[in-house]
Amino acid sequence: MVPITLFAGFDLVSNMSSDFLPENSIVVGCGSVVLDFLATVAAYPKPDQKIRSTSFKIQGGGNTGNALTCAARLGLKPRIISKVADDTQGKSILDELQADGVDTSFIVVSKEGTSPFTYIIVDNQTKSRTCIHTPGFPPMKPNDLLESSLFAALNGARIAYFDGRLHETAQVVAREAVKKNIPILMDAERLREGLDDIIKVVDYVVCAEQFPQAWTEAATVPKALVSMLLSLPKLKFVIVTLGKDGCIMLERSEVTSTEEMDVDKLLESLEARKNESIYIPTCISSSATKLRAEGIGTICGRLYIGTAENIPLSELIDTTGAGDAFTGAVLYAICANFATEKMLCFAANVAATKCRALGARSGLPYRTDPRLASFMQ
Ligand SMILES: Nc1ncnc2c1ncn2[C@@H]1O[C@H](COP(=O)(O)OP(=O)(O)OP(=O)(O)O)[C@@H](O)[C@H]1O
Ligand SMILES: *[C@@H]1O[C@H](CO)[C@@H](O)[C@H](O)[C@H]1NC(C)=O
Ligand SMILES: *[C@@H]1O[C@H](CO)[C@@H](O)[C@H](O)[C@H]1NC(C)=O
């Protein structure tokens, strides 16, 4: 039997109050920054219906903008490589990032065209968030970024982040990051043009529920995670987020155990250890073992389940950008050398805090937030 352990955030609470920042906290993100137009509705409209919103907000969005704003509020020093247009939306996007301490000097401002924006309808009944995105124009091209800017952006960076957008530019930035031995984290939402070129050089992946199977064509999520570690030799871990069901993570480990375990069965045994009466995020993990994915291969690793916070319905406002909040917290955890269990509990806490306000950014916690106190010491 593979030993399984349960870890909960409250184990960390102590009277220590020293608060220190990671030594190197520069994170460089390349991807989308947009403006979100959010409207909450009592119930999702039918075609041709006219309804009123019950709450409304205009706020910055985009995976990179959100994840790096989260990272900034947690204490990191983010820089963003992206493109907006010289219009009111573009100005609003830049102002908001700057107010959060994100370095926008590597964001290209196009004289012509339009900045990207997204209409988001939050259904207060189902808590779903429906997005209608309009990409910015003209799209970012590698020539938009001077070589000197690229070097300056990556100078001294602890980690680089990509969201799979702006793939031509992202590929150039990723290649340079690899040259400089800067670790890379990728947020993989779905299959996108050019994604394969970047994912093959990344150290960490955080992905959406459908991604692992879409990318590997494996029969189950655990098998797909094994398949990803097998085909991406640089990959140290992959996390798949599952909304209110938390996340599953597979971490590569060096230890070679003689014991071999079917990865689907191991996940089942971890799931059996979930405790519904614990409302705060927890982490259930296996020890390092040889994991077999039938018909795919074996890998030595540790499997984890991170549970989500059980948020009271009256407090659950909007899940827009929950994944970005989670990823921003993972970026912080990597820079701060958090143990894996602590990282998963921390990220779920940060994401759950975000879900208590409308929009991808309003609810993002600051490092001084009492909810995070037990992690920040
Ligand atoms: N309803 C919820 N209750 C509690 N936690 C949630 C809820 N929804 C999301 N989370 C937290 O946020 C994390 C990421 O959520 P999710 O898997 O929905 O990301 P996503 O689909 O990438 O979201 P987005 O694309 O909007 O950023 C989850 O692992 C969980 O910790
Ligand atoms: C959502 O629904 C709840 C319960 O019906 C209500 O109290 C709340 O005001 C609504 N919020 C919005 C923004 O519509
Ligand atoms: C679940 O958690 C509660 C609260 O911490 C605890 O009292 C209970 O013993 C746990 N149940 C199991 C089956 O571990």
Side-chain angles (χ1 to χ4, degrees):
M1 264 306 283
V2 177
I4 291 169
T5 50
L6 179 97
F7 176 95
F10 53 71
D11 290 341
L12 291 162
V13 178
S14 84
N15 293 323
M16 279 173 60
S17 60
S18 59
D19 176 29
F20 50 85
L21 284 159
E23 228 166 280
N24 180 354
S25 52
I26 298 172
V27 45
V28 181
C30 175
S32 77
V33 296
V34 321
L35 195 63
D36 287 347
F37 296 82
L38 297 127
T40 306
V41 297
Y44 199 80
K46 295 183 174 52
D48 234 23
Q49 197 182 355
K50 287 184 175 178
I51 59 167
R52 283 194 184 192
S53 60
T54 53
S55 64
F56 179 74
K57 194 174 274 175
I58 301 178
Q59 178 168 76
N63 295 122
T64 298
N66 298 340
L68 269 65
T69 294
C70 179
R73 291 193 188 177
L74 294 174
L76 299 186
K77 294 194 189 78
R79 299 169 181 163
I80 291 183
I81 297 170
S82 191
K83 184 173 183 174
V84 296
D86 188 14
D87 51 17
T88 51
Q89 287 153 25
K91 188 171 182 331
S92 167
I93 291 168
L94 296 180
D95 287 350
E96 202 177 329
L97 289 169
Q98 284 157 14
D100 265 307
V102 176
D103 184 344
T104 62
S105 55
F106 305 101
I107 298 182
V108 176
V109 181
S110 159
K111 281 272 156 278
E112 271 112 56
T114 51
S115 296
F117 61 92
T118 306
Y119 291 121
I120 301 178
I121 302 164
V122 179
D123 179 353
N124 193 28
Q125 231 166 26
T126 60
K127 303 295 174 186
S128 62
R129 42 114 185 96
T130 304
C131 304
I132 306 168
H133 180 64
T134 305
F137 186 84
M140 190 169 194
K141 293 287 169 193
N143 279 346
D144 286 332
L145 188 69
L146 293 174
E147 196 176 58
S148 57
S149 296
L150 170 64
F151 292 164
L154 290 174
N155 186 37
R158 167 68 179 81
I159 190 164
Y161 162 98
F162 297 92
D163 67 10
R165 290 345 188 295
L166 318 176
H167 69 273
E168 290 168 73
T169 306
Q171 204 182 327
V172 173
V173 177
R175 204 180 300 140
E176 196 55 35
V178 170
K179 255 194 228 164
K180 292 183 154 59
N181 283 319
I182 300 167
I184 300 175
L185 181 145
M186 179 168 207
D187 175 358
E189 209 170 55
R190 53 189 148 94
L191 304 182
R192 289 181 196 279
E193 190 183 356
L195 177 133
D196 283 12
D197 295 320
I198 298 170
I199 203 169
K200 68 182 183 216
V201 299
V202 308
D203 301 77
Y204 315 101
V205 169
V206 180
C207 57
E209 187 164 4
Q210 304 79 11
F211 182 82
Q213 284 175 273
W215 196 71
T216 63
E217 295 177 354
T220 65
V221 171
K223 282 193 180 77
L225 300 183
V226 170
S227 175
M228 285 177 77
L229 282 191
L230 282 170
S231 53
L232 303 170
K234 267 192 82 183
L235 193 62
K236 295 186 182 70
F237 71 63
V238 50
I239 300 174
V240 49
T241 65
L242 311 168
K244 65 173 172 35
D245 294 324
C247 69
I248 302 169
M249 167 169 170
L250 180 60
E251 177 182 55
R252 194 189 296 276
S253 71
E254 299 302 324
V255 199
T256 39
S257 132
T258 48
E259 213 175 338
E260 196 174 292
M261 182 87 192
D262 179 87
V263 71
D264 292 300
K265 291 212 177 80
L266 181 58
L267 182 67
E268 275 173 33
S269 63
L270 295 187
E271 266 163 358
R273 292 290 303 274
K274 277 193 192 173
N275 183 335
E276 304 292 337
S277 61
I278 303 179
Y279 277 58
I280 64 166
T282 59
C283 179
I284 306 160
S285 60
S286 76
S287 57
T289 187
K290 203 185 274 177
L291 297 168
R292 185 183 58 251
E294 214 56 65
I296 291 169
T298 63
I299 199 101
C300 192
R302 286 183 75 185
L303 192 66
Y304 300 79
I305 288 181
T307 64
E309 186 176 327
N310 192 344
I311 305 172
L313 259 181
S314 60
E315 291 178 29
L316 180 63
I317 304 297
D318 174 24
T319 62
T320 303
D324 300 331
F326 187 96
T327 304
V330 168
L331 286 169
Y332 181 87
I334 292 169
C335 294
N337 297 315
F338 279 11
T340 306
E341 291 84 353
K342 183 176 172 181
M343 172 177 86
L344 293 182
C345 291
F346 176 66
N349 269 288
V350 169
T353 307
K354 189 245 79 77
C355 292
R356 288 170 157 92
L358 180 63
R361 309 234 184 124
S362 299
L364 289 174
Y366 293 84
R367 64 182 286 109
T368 49
D369 193 305
R371 291 171 163 278
L372 306 181
S374 62
F375 295 96
M376 289 299 191
Q377 43 188 271

